[in-house]
């Protein structure tokens, strides 16, 4: 794209990291687009630090600071951290003492369930992907297609029999049930992704190790696995994002003890018939966003490189 | 490692006789497991017999694993745990619901009765052919086309922006990725706020411009546009990530060669860039289409099916969950599943044909 040489390039200030192809001019343009794209999220975050009374003000309040007078006074609000406190304990019925909402438990549930199921899917999926890649079975492609089909199925198709099955077995409302369900939910993607990574690896090193007397187990753990760390990271992030926000299974299959945040969030903001509690919803979502945002941010490099490496180069 | 020590066992020990009681005799395990399961199903209550069947299945699986290990079928050994989880949590429930769709069954009642194809006939004649539900099907198709094309376009354009190395790229990229990480409950509810005629930002801006009262959700076109916009905003980053992965993988020397030959930007895109992103575009298209078929949450949150925005998936949730018509719901699921499979296979067929042409 032709943006000409930016003033920064002429001055020689342009920072070049890696394969530098565009300068600050491009950065400014992308920053503008990214900022506009991010605005709805920013509004949610700002709502989380708004005083409750201003949530539905007309005109809408947009910013906690006036940016040195750039934003007219009517759009500015004074930030507060009250809403984050009321996520965990608030007055439920008028006039009574604040009660604990149990959200600490729900956050813990979300973290435990999402992490456990994504890690389990990663373990089973990586083993299976290695099997599909290195020891092809008869009808290997058919198995892979059937596995992909389970990912193609709308969740609503699966959920009715799963409810019945869980009721019969007594798994509904238990950690084990929902974790196993999410594991299956993530497996197809994990297997396909990891298989393409294993397919990429040159088998020369492995063969050399075998000739030198390494066992199959050692070949897998010491030679293959270290080479696909990027792929593991990428798969982990994709799986985590999908599992973290899953709503339908969680709504129908978790009990009071195992409830995850999306379900609890839905109940918290729509209960009592007082309409949506906007600042509370925003505060919950903001807190809920932080872990997955941080994980994605720190694994971002792997994510891009991983996807590239895994699915494109053949 | 134990596996290492055990691999000293000679690879081709003879298969056991059918009646030999050995750990790797999977034939005997199947016979015993089946007998045990049938006995349990006939004599014990359902909740107990389910676990007995589970134990029998585990026994058969263990025999298979030992057999595979002793005869060095490592492939089967490695794949087994994943297949087992998928079978229990996905494939088995699907078969169950397939069976259920041939019965009259409601989850809030005890009675169950075999009705053959009646549910399908009922669903195809009453449910889908009824004007209200026919429009749900048409709406679903509309949403699939609109949301998927919007996501593909926006995702593609965003990927083009990020397909270069520039300062602060890492920080800007995470901003664009964030909508994907939001819970649909929160983002959906906040979109009702953005679109709200009294308090919402959109109406505030539009009122200031036009001077009238602007209500987005007032018409079908507006409601559809609102839903499509919210969905496209949330999921375009997904398409972007996949396309970006393709774009950054194009070898640089190809572009350099094209520059020397003075190839036009248009040709350069179609002959160099596009082949590298075609596979990933297809993958994004597949995944997003499947997701678009399931579109229900945003509709529930934004319009509750009003203004003729009912989708087939939301309809299914109503029938199966709110009206407890479990077996009818299952029948609808399978009609829907059939449509999705036809569509995905059409995609794959077209993709393969394209591949062979070039």
């Amino acid at each position: 794209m032709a943006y000409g040489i930016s003033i920064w390039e002429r001055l020689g200030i342009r920072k070049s990291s890696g394969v530098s192809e565009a300068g600050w001019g491009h950065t400014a343009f992308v920053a503008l687009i990214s900022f506009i794209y991010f605005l709805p999220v920013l509004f949610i975050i700002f709502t989380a630090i708004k005083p409750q009374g201003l949530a539905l003000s007309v005109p809408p309040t947009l910013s906690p600071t006036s940016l040195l007078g750039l934003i007219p006074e009517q759009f500015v609000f004074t930030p507060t951290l009250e809403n984050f406190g009321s996520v965990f304990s608030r007055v439920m019925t008028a006039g009574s003492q604040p009660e604990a909402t149990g959200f600490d438990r729900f956050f813990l549930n979300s973290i435990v369930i999402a992490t456990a199921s994504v890690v389990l899917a990663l373990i089973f999926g990586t083993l299976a992907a290695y099997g599909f890649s290195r020891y092809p079975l008869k009808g290997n492609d058919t198995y892979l297609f059937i596995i992909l089909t389970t990912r193609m199925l709308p969740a609503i198709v699966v959920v009715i029999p799963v409810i019945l099955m869980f009721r019969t077995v007594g798994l509904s409302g238990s950690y084990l049930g929902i974790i196993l369900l999410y594991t299956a939910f993530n497996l197809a993607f994990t297997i396909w992704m990891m298989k393409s990574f294993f397919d990429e690896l040159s088998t020369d090193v492995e063969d050399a190790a075998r000739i030198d007397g390494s066992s199959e187990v050692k070949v897998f753990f010491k030679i293959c696995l270290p080479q696909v760390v990027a792929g593991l990271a990428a798969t982990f992030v994709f799986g985590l994002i999908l599992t973290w926000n899953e709503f339908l299974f969680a709504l129908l299959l978790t009990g009071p003890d195992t409830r995850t945040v999306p379900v609890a969030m839905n109940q918290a903001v729509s209960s009592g018939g007082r309409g949506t509690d906007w600042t509370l919803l925003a505060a919950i979502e903001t807190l809920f966003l932080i872990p997955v945002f941080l994980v994605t941010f720190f694994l971002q490099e792997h994510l891009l490189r991983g996807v590239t490496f895994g699915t494109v180069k053949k | 490692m134990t596996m290492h020590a055990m691999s000293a066992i000679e690879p081709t020990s003879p298969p056991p006789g059918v009646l030999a009681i050995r750990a790797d005799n999977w034939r005997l395990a199947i016979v015993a497991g089946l007998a045990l399961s049938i006995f349990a199903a006939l004599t014990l209550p359902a909740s107990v017999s389910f676990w007995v069947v589970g134990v029998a299945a585990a026994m058969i699986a263990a025999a298979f694993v030992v057999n595979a290990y002793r005869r060095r079928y490592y492939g089967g050994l490695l794949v087994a745990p994943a297949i087992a989880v998928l079978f229990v949590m996905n494939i088995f429930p699907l078969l169950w619901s397939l069976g259920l769709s041939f019965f009259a069954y409601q989850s809030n009642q005890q009675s169950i009765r075999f009705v053959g194809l009646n549910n399908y006939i009922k669903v195809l004649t009453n449910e889908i052919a009824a004007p209200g539900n026919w429009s749900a099907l048409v709406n679903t198709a509309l949403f699939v086309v609109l949301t998927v094309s919007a996501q593909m376009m926006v995702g593609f354009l965003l990927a083009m922006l990020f397909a270069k190395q520039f300062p602060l790229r890492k920080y800007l990229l995470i901003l664009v990725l964030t909508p994907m990480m939001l819970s649909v409950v929160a983002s959906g509810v906040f979109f009702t706020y953005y679109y709200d005629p009294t308090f919402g930002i959109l109406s505030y801006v539009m009122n200031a411009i036009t001077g009238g009262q602007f209500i987005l959700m007032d018409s079908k076109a507006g409601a559809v546009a609102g839903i499509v916009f919210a969905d496209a905003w949330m999921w375009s980053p997904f398409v972007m990530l996949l396309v970006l992965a393709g774009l950054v993988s194009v070898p640089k020397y190809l572009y350099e060669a094209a520059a020397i030959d003075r190839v036009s930007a248009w040709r350069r895109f179609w002959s160099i860039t596009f082949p590298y992103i075609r596979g990933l575009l297809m993958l994004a298209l597949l995944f997003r289409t499947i997701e678009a078929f399931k579109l229900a949450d945003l509709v529930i949150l934004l319009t509750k099916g009003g203004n003729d925005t009912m989708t087939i998936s939301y309809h299914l949730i109503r029938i199966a969950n709110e009206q407890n018509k479990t077996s009818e719901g299952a029948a609808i699921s399978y009609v829907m599943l059939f449509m999705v499979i036809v569509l995905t296979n059409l995609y794959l067929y077209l993709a393969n044909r394209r591949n062979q042409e070039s």
Side-chain angles (χ1 to χ4, degrees), chain A residues 193-251:
Chain A
M193 189 109 168
M194 289 316 295
K195 179 179 178 289
S196 63
F197 282 98
F198 285 125
D199 286 347
E200 289 295 314
L201 300 182
S202 149
T203 49
D204 297 350
V205 187
E206 294 163 38
D207 291 340
R210 284 199 189 94
I211 290 165
D212 288 347
S214 286
S215 68
E216 294 296 321
V217 180
K218 216 170 181 178
V219 167
F220 176 69
F221 280 107
K222 291 277 155 74
I223 293 169
C224 290
L225 215 51
Q227 292 184 71
V228 295
V229 171
L232 290 172
T235 314
F236 182 79
V237 167
F238 271 124
L240 189 69
I241 288 179
L242 289 177
T243 315
W244 191 248
N245 291 315
E246 206 285 328
F247 181 70
L248 187 65
F249 286 139
L251 175 69

Side-chain angles (χ1 to χ4, degrees), chain B residues 20-335:
Chain B
I21 297 176
R22 275 170 50 178
D24 60 351
N25 191 350
W26 53 273
R27 290 183 188 87
L28 184 64
I30 288 181
V31 173
L34 271 180
L36 192 64
S37 304
I38 293 168
F39 174 76
L42 290 177
T43 56
L44 299 168
S47 53
V48 181
S49 70
F50 189 95
W51 288 108
V52 175
V53 174
V55 169
M59 184 178 79
I60 296 170
F64 266 112
V65 166
V66 173
N67 180 55
Y69 185 73
R70 290 205 180 152
R71 306 211 153 59
R72 298 207 162 184
Y73 304 140
Y74 291 126
L77 204 62
L78 288 163
V79 168
I83 297 282
V85 174
L86 273 179
F87 187 84
V88 173
M89 289 291 153
N90 250 325
I91 297 167
F92 176 66
L94 276 171
L95 294 177
W96 188 337
S97 77
L98 183 65
L100 212 57
S101 68
F102 297 110
F103 287 85
Y105 173 73
Q106 300 204 348
S107 56
N108 55 351
Q109 288 166 14
Q110 285 301 315
S111 69
I112 184 162
R113 187 164 50 84
F114 184 76
V115 291
L117 283 171
N118 272 357
N119 282 323
Y120 287 92
I121 294 165
K122 203 166 152 193
V123 160
L124 286 172
T125 53
N126 293 349
E127 294 287 343
I128 289 177
N133 302 320
W134 179 248
S135 73
L137 201 64
V138 175
N139 284 336
T140 305
L142 184 73
F143 279 122
V144 168
V145 172
L146 289 179
T147 57
V148 173
S149 49
Q151 285 161 13
M152 296 302 284
M153 274 190 295
V154 176
F156 186 80
L157 291 176
L158 285 173
M160 292 296 269
L161 282 182
F162 281 97
K164 294 174 180 177
Q165 196 61 251
F166 54 87
L168 304 179
R169 179 180 184 239
K170 195 177 169 187
Y171 301 95
L172 296 176
L173 187 62
I174 192 87
L175 286 188
V176 177
L177 289 182
T178 315
M180 188 167 66
M181 301 172 209
L182 287 180
S183 166
V184 75
V185 177
S187 59
V189 171
F190 262 87
F191 268 99
T192 65
Y193 170 75
Y194 298 144
Y195 297 155
D196 192 278
T198 321
F199 309 106
I201 292 170
L202 184 73
S203 294
Y204 182 76
V205 174
M206 292 302 282
N207 291 346
I209 293 171
T210 60
Q213 180 65 23
F214 179 81
I215 305 172
L216 178 73
M217 290 301 182
D218 213 16
S219 62
K220 180 176 179 180
V224 169
I227 293 169
V228 169
F229 182 84
D231 194 59
W233 176 74
M234 271 193 89
W235 292 107
S236 293
F238 178 83
V239 179
M240 185 198 80
L241 257 189
L242 289 180
V243 175
L244 189 54
L247 287 176
V248 296
S249 73
V250 182
K252 240 180 155 186
Y253 65 83
L254 286 178
Y255 285 134
E256 285 158 10
I260 292 167
D261 292 345
R262 302 189 175 213
V263 175
S264 69
W266 181 250
R267 272 241 6 237
R268 192 177 61 205
F269 175 77
W270 284 108
S271 56
I272 299 176
T273 315
F274 190 67
Y276 273 87
I277 57 172
R278 187 173 50 203
L280 287 162
L281 271 178
M282 215 55 185
L283 199 68
L285 197 63
L286 261 178
F287 272 86
R288 290 318 309 162
T289 307
I290 293 158
E291 292 291 318
F293 255 95
K294 296 191 269 180
L295 183 73
D297 34 21
L298 273 177
V299 179
I300 295 173
L301 291 168
L302 287 176
T303 65
K304 296 202 168 54
N307 271 332
D308 193 16
T309 51
M310 195 72 184
T311 64
I312 198 78
S313 188
Y314 184 18
H315 182 65
L316 184 59
I317 290 176
R318 275 198 181 167
I319 290 208
N321 202 36
E322 290 167 22
Q323 302 175 15
N324 285 312
K325 291 180 185 165
T326 313
S327 51
E328 262 180 58
I332 295 185
S333 313
Y334 276 91
V335 173

Side-chain angles (χ1 to χ4, degrees), chain A residues 64-264:
Chain A
T65 85
S66 65
L67 284 177
L68 303 170
L70 212 64
I71 295 170
E73 205 53 44
Q74 56 185 353
F75 295 119
V76 178
F77 62 88
T78 332
T80 165
L81 289 177
E82 238 170 62
N83 299 318
F84 294 110
S86 67
V87 169
F88 297 102
S89 96
R90 64 176 178 277
V91 179
M92 293 293 195
T93 46
S96 63
Q97 289 297 309
E99 294 169 50
T101 54
F103 254 92
D104 40 357
R105 176 74 186 258
F106 303 147
F107 274 102
L108 194 68
N109 283 342
S110 263
I111 292 170
V112 168
I113 290 171
T115 314
S117 57
V118 176
V119 168
L120 270 180
L122 215 51
I123 293 171
F124 292 156
T126 307
L127 283 178
Y130 188 72
F132 280 126
S133 176
R134 290 295 187 275
Y135 308 98
L137 303 157
K138 261 184 238 164
N140 211 32
D141 291 345
T142 317
Y143 285 119
L144 276 169
F145 185 77
I146 291 171
I147 288 171
L148 187 67
T149 316
T150 63
R151 189 75 184 81
M152 289 177 184
L153 298 168
I156 193 73
V157 181
V158 195
V159 81
I160 302 166
V162 169
I163 295 172
L164 294 176
M165 187 173 88
F166 275 23
R167 266 186 212 154
T168 316
V169 187
L171 273 179
S172 58
S174 70
Y175 284 106
L176 183 66
I178 194 78
I179 287 174
L180 279 178
L181 189 66
Y182 281 158
T183 306
F185 178 76
N186 281 323
L187 258 178
F189 182 70
T190 312
I191 291 174
W192 270 69
M193 189 109 168
M194 289 316 295
K195 179 179 178 289
S196 63
F197 282 98
F198 285 125
D199 286 347
E200 289 295 314
L201 300 182
S202 149
T203 49
D204 297 350
V205 187
E206 294 163 38
D207 291 340
R210 284 199 189 94
I211 290 165
D212 288 347
S214 286
S215 68
E216 294 296 321
V217 180
K218 216 170 181 178
V219 167
F220 176 69
F221 280 107
K222 291 277 155 74
I223 293 169
C224 290
L225 215 51
Q227 292 184 71
V228 295
V229 171
L232 290 172
T235 314
F236 182 79
V237 167
F238 271 124
L240 189 69
I241 288 179
L242 289 177
T243 315
W244 191 248
N245 291 315
E246 206 285 328
F247 181 70
L248 187 65
F249 286 139
L251 175 69
L252 298 172
L253 296 168
T254 55
D257 291 339
T258 55
R259 191 171 298 155
T260 57
V261 176
V263 180

